[in-house]
Amino acid sequence: MITIQGKGVSAGVGVGPLYYYRRATTEIKRYTVEDTGAEWHRFKGAQTGAVEQLGQLAEQARAEAGDEAAMLFETHQMMAEDLDYEEAIEDRITNQKMNAEAAVADTAEQFAEMFAAMDDSYMQARAADVKDVSQRILSILCGVVQGGIASDVPVLLAADDLAPSETIQLDKTKILGFITAGGSGSSHTAILARTMGIPAIVGVGDALKPEYEGRQAIADGSTGALVVDPDDDTRARLLKKREEQQRLQRLLETLKGQTNVTKDGKTIRIYCNIGSPEDVHAVQVNDGGGIGLFRSEFLYLNSSTFPTEDEQYAAYKQVLSDMDGKEVIIRTLDIGADKQIGYFDLPKEDNPAMGMRALRLCLTRPEIFRTQLRALFRASAYGKLGIMFPMVTSVWEVREAKKLCEEVKRDLKHEGIPYSEDVQIGIMIETPAAAVNSDRLAKEVDFFSIGTNDLTQYTLACDRQNNDLGRFYDPHHPAVLRLIKLVVDNAHKNGIWAGICGELGADLALTETFLAMGLDELSVTPRAVLPLRNAVRMTDTRESAERLLAELDADYTAR
């Protein structure tokens, strides 16, 4: 028996033979062309074909995995037609007389290196995207048909990594699980695997030997363990675990339409975090009660220039309309730190996590902020909107932001443009300063939403992007939990509600704790709604309240 440890990124247990993904190779021939016009025409034909293929893949992904998965391919469509990308290829063909295949290959390498060198993890991930898009164009130019699975039985699919187009085109009836040498929890393979409910393990490195192909294995997507040639006891244990997971999933499906009420009658709102209008479908399918965090910055990240007021208005209006009267809380622009955008021309910072980001950027560049606020208030006429400001540390910041809101509303009224007067204004509690000062901040707003990712980072002085810190980045640390309780208490003393929109909201080990604290709302990824509802319905806060206080006062043993 051989056990290989990777990182589990999609829960579930897959059992079957290991099979290595067969990727068709494209041999790039290089030669000088005389008729550059004809060569450019060849490229344009392949580009058009790639865009059409990506459109078909988007529809397939939407049908199989929902709108979030489809958006990956729609983004690739835009990348295939990106002007900078296209102009770089045109220069190589027209001025350097390269053949189309060589021009595309060299441009792909140039752009991938550029993205990989960026500090922003989101932009670094675009390196794989530009390679995938370019490979599709190259395959069309070379007449190559992509490979896949030549197996008569379902398999555990192993690969160095998988591009989204490769993943979505696979025959899912033959996939028992994914195992990749590279990748991360935010890779496209991980995202698609979670969306489709397929077990997945990434980051196994070179421990997965080619000679293991065809041997029986079990992949545990929860623990990240891949067991090759399992013994009888291990097989029995993991098969029992798979049966329990399947039973739980069937149980969770019965909770759709049920209330989020504890055994002792306390109700909590379970909302969803989304990043685009297309994600609303996942909220509806998973029975989310509303949207607790719409990350509006993705409108900026997916654009090559500042999105206009009308473009933002259309996106916000669509989400509010599609949610049909359910609450939608939209976070204002949160650019900076790990999300950098070139056209903002932000100066290089030694410590961007503590630099010019989020509300600080908006207050410093009010012309950008005002455009977004106008779009938000215009859209408020179509649903129940809440607006929240990120990265707050001081009362004056909130007052200045609220002042801009009032100015925008006054302008809209003067222009005869309708908007709702019933828009809740809230802030994210992400800094120790905001948490400690929450008694004063609560007098300025209608609600708090606690961003536990950054609150943990700043409280523990641990960079959450640094995987080497391991156990030092501990969201369960009593300092973090005490700050959350302080925020909730101060919110309720001042008559406002408090929720969590960070990843900790979906941590079932803390659900009882959060309910005992009195949190009013938990906003999580759509797929976490039903497991969280189940945990809420199994909790009796009368039993957990006293235990919570004892735990927060107890000595803490380092993990």
Side-chain angles (χ1 to χ4, degrees), residues 225-472:
L226 173 69
V227 183
V228 183
D229 296 331
D231 58 33
D232 291 341
D233 289 343
T234 301
R235 174 179 286 275
R237 174 175 57 82
L238 289 174
L239 287 177
K240 183 178 180 180
K241 182 175 182 178
R242 182 176 66 173
E243 291 171 5
E244 284 296 311
Q245 291 172 340
Q246 292 171 344
R247 184 191 64 78
L248 178 58
Q249 187 57 45
R250 290 192 295 270
L251 171 65
L252 293 177
E253 289 295 319
T254 68
L255 293 178
K256 287 185 177 180
Q258 300 296 313
T259 55
N260 311 311
V261 180
T262 63
K263 287 182 176 180
D264 56 316
K266 289 188 177 181
T267 300
I268 189 168
R269 301 194 297 276
I270 300 180
Y271 286 3
C272 294
N273 302 333
I274 68 170
S276 74
E278 290 76 18
D279 293 342
V280 171
H281 174 73
V283 178
Q284 296 166 335
V285 167
N286 289 280
D287 203 27
I291 293 173
L293 169 62
F294 176 13
R295 302 179 180 92
S296 66
E297 59 270 15
F298 285 93
L299 294 172
Y300 297 78
L301 287 164
N302 291 330
S303 176
S304 59
T305 186
F306 292 102
T308 66
E309 178 184 323
D310 285 343
E311 288 171 339
Q312 294 187 63
Y313 162 69
Y316 305 147
K317 175 185 173 182
Q318 180 182 337
V319 172
L320 285 160
S321 299
D322 289 349
M323 286 301 291
D324 196 25
K326 291 183 177 179
E327 189 168 19
V328 175
I329 297 173
I330 300 178
R331 179 175 71 187
T332 56
L333 178 62
D334 189 5
I335 289 297
D338 60 335
K339 295 186 288 289
Q340 299 287 332
I341 299 178
Y343 60 81
F344 272 74
D345 291 325
L346 295 176
K348 177 75 174 178
E349 296 179 301
D350 291 333
N351 194 349
M354 296 186 181
M356 187 58 70
R357 57 172 296 196
L359 187 60
R360 297 171 179 176
L361 176 64
C362 289
L363 293 179
T364 305
R365 299 173 69 172
E367 70 283 358
I368 297 173
F369 197 26
R370 191 181 297 274
T371 298
Q372 181 173 37
L373 291 176
R374 281 182 59 91
L376 284 166
F377 278 104
R378 285 173 60 192
S380 70
Y382 297 89
K384 187 177 181 182
L385 174 66
I387 299 173
M388 66 178 175
F389 309 127
M391 196 62 186
V392 168
T393 59
S394 304
V395 169
W396 72 263
E397 296 168 344
V398 180
R399 288 177 178 170
E400 194 165 320
K402 286 167 59 181
K403 181 182 177 182
L404 281 170
C405 289
E406 292 303 315
E407 291 175 3
V408 164
K409 288 162 64 177
R410 186 179 64 244
D411 290 345
L412 292 176
K413 188 172 185 178
H414 178 74
E415 296 167 29
I417 298 175
Y419 64 90
S420 173
E421 290 285 0
D422 187 26
V423 175
Q424 287 205 325
I425 301 295
I427 60 171
M428 290 189 69
I429 303 292
E430 302 170 274
T431 65
V436 172
N437 212 26
S438 55
D439 56 336
R440 296 178 180 175
L441 289 166
K443 295 176 172 60
E444 302 291 331
V445 295
D446 300 307
F447 67 90
F448 288 152
S449 188
I450 303 169
T452 53
N453 302 347
D454 269 335
L455 183 61
T456 302
Q457 169 174 250
Y458 295 129
T459 301
L460 302 182
C462 273
D463 180 0
R464 62 189 178 100
Q465 303 290 334
N466 186 344
N467 293 328
D468 293 335
L469 288 172
R471 60 180 180 156
F472 297 105

